[in-house]
Amino acid sequence: MNHQSKATITAMGTYVPDRILSNADLEKMVDTSDEWIVQRTGMRERRIAGEHEFVSELATKAVEDMVRRYEVKITDVDMILFATSTPEYAFPSSASRVQANLGILQTGVLDLNAACAGFTYGMQLADSLVTSGMYRKVLVIGAETLSKITDYTDRTTCVLFGDGAGAFLVERASDQGDFKSVISGTQGEGGMHLYKSGLSTEMDGHQLNAEGNLVQNGREVYKWAVRMVPEQLAELITRAEMSPEQIDWFVPHSANMRMIEAMCERGPIPLERTLTSMEYRGNTSAASIPLALQIAVDEGKLRHGHNVALFGFGGGLTYSGLVVRWGVPDRA
């Protein structure tokens, strides 16, 4: 099933807030230690948005970073797809706030709610919208302010989460497109293991914590992801009619380093060909894959023409992945 894409990624940008929350800072807040956090998560720092700094502002700055880096034009974007679990409003959408901030006059806007799989779903949708001929230029954003829904008295979750944003431009390719294959799936009965309550305070007969904070059963999510991702990643690569050796980089959602190490031990792509962002950014949900890609570009690892397997997974429980040829030009 080699997907006949007509879309390519032409530019990217990211943004993280200035404030750093280090492991040493967390030691003063809850009963934890730098050694414990690093050993179990691989995280050293995370970035935290200001009290009045919300997700659409982070996203806007990521788009501005993209324009600065690649000198692309965004005034003619046809559609903005914004993946986030932490919108500042139920409505209007975060995408519409970005449209207003950037003054893009004629564009559709849509928020996507797929937790940590949101960015990869957004990229799949952007490819399909461009390939179908419906749109020529789609802005895909993954951004979060998870610090605003984190319980800083719960030492099992508060060490994990950070804030950040990434923005990608997906455009009509002049020749053949760069999106090689996609995959997605859901195990909705596992929804209880990772949630933030809303209008309802129960799920499948279980009472929810209704404080408005993120609640995670880390052990169950870990078991699900470590079993599922290697299997589905292998299928994704097969669908691209490629071998694992032809994939230059595997970019999973940066949930937790130990989880990713366990996935890579099961194959099909080893840890040395895996890109992550959690060491100095924490788990940033829909922003974690863009942040990992940006770090790899800045370090000179990720180059134009590389084959990349992106794989998001999280609340739902849901997952989505894609194999894409990296179309972004290398910057001198």
Side-chain angles (χ1 to χ4, degrees):
M1 186 208 99
N2 204 325
H3 170 56
Q4 298 302 313
S5 171
K6 295 189 173 76
T8 183
I9 306 167
T10 55
M12 71 166 298
T14 57
Y15 174 76
V16 290
D18 294 333
R19 185 187 156 202
I20 293 171
L21 181 66
S22 68
N23 290 352
D25 296 329
L26 284 164
E27 286 178 349
K28 298 178 189 131
M29 295 160 67
V30 285
D31 180 15
T32 191
S33 70
D34 173 62
E35 185 187 19
W36 188 92
I37 297 168
V38 172
Q39 209 178 341
R40 283 168 177 76
T41 70
M43 296 172 188
R44 297 178 193 279
E45 293 177 0
R46 53 299 290 140
R47 296 297 184 98
I48 306 295
E51 187 187 350
H52 302 295
E53 188 177 25
F54 292 95
V55 76
S56 63
E57 193 177 325
L58 271 59
T60 302
K61 287 176 177 172
V63 178
E64 290 168 348
D65 178 60
M66 177 179 79
V67 172
R68 202 164 41 242
R69 284 172 182 261
Y70 296 100
E71 296 175 353
V72 286
K73 185 174 153 205
I74 55 160
T75 50
D76 58 347
V77 162
D78 303 306
M79 174 64 83
I80 301 171
L81 301 174
F82 194 139
T84 187
S85 299
T86 51
E88 57 250 65
Y89 316 108
F91 52 86
S93 68
S94 299
S96 70
R97 304 312 302 154
V98 170
Q99 177 273 327
N101 291 345
L102 297 169
I104 302 172
L105 296 180
Q106 296 290 331
T107 186
V109 292
L110 187 64
D111 280 9
L112 302 174
N113 177 352
C116 309
F119 175 75
T120 40
Y121 271 118
M123 293 297 279
Q124 288 186 12
L125 283 173
D127 171 44
S128 62
L129 290 170
V130 170
T131 295
S132 73
M134 197 181 291
Y135 298 111
R136 294 194 64 84
K137 203 168 184 178
V138 179
L139 186 58
V140 181
I141 295 166
E144 301 288 4
T145 51
L146 292 172
S147 65
K148 296 185 188 299
I149 60 165
T150 295
D151 177 359
Y152 284 98
T153 64
D154 174 6
R155 67 181 192 149
T156 62
T157 59
C158 77
V159 302
L160 297 173
F161 299 109
D163 303 336
F168 279 55
L169 201 56
V170 178
E171 298 189 64
R172 183 84 178 196
S174 53
D175 192 19
Q176 67 196 83
D178 291 333
F179 290 73
K180 308 293 186 191
S181 67
V182 299
I183 202 165
S184 61
T186 307
Q187 187 191 323
E189 57 277 18
M192 274 294 301
H193 301 316
L194 182 53
Y195 69 85
K196 174 193 176 292
S197 66
L199 296 178
S200 172
T201 57
E202 69 90 42
M203 188 189 305
D204 300 335
H206 300 281
Q207 272 304 116
L208 302 181
N209 176 325
E211 305 289 301
N213 287 325
L214 183 158
V215 179
Q216 173 171 268
N217 180 336
R219 181 166 293 163
E220 288 301 322
V221 175
Y222 181 98
K223 283 194 317 202
W224 168 73
V226 167
R227 185 183 65 247
M228 175 277 296
V229 173
E231 287 172 5
Q232 299 304 321
L233 177 62
E235 172 62 20
L236 177 68
I237 295 166
T238 299
R239 288 185 185 186
E241 297 177 3
M242 297 170 83
S243 69
E245 292 68 38
Q246 291 172 289
I247 302 293
D248 295 290
W249 301 107
F250 168 42
V251 196
H253 159 51
S254 278
N256 175 320
M257 197 63 206
R258 301 304 155 245
M259 189 187 271
I260 289 168
E261 286 167 353
M263 285 171 191
C264 291
E265 277 169 24
R266 294 180 172 217
I269 297 177
L271 193 61
E272 53 269 24
R273 297 213 314 273
T274 301
L275 304 175
T276 64
S277 60
M278 85 281 285
E279 187 176 6
Y280 293 100
R281 300 289 181 259
N283 175 338
T284 53
S285 189
S288 81
I289 290 174
L291 292 174
L293 290 165
Q294 186 75 76
I295 291 165
V297 165
D298 292 347
E299 290 177 352
K301 287 180 177 176
L302 176 58
R303 309 299 296 254
H304 178 84
H306 278 177
N307 291 313
V308 187
L310 311 178
F311 205 101
F313 55 91
L317 299 165
T318 190
Y319 64 85
S320 66
L322 58 151
V323 171
V324 66
R325 178 182 168 276
W326 189 248
V328 180
D330 293 334
R331 291 165 72 240

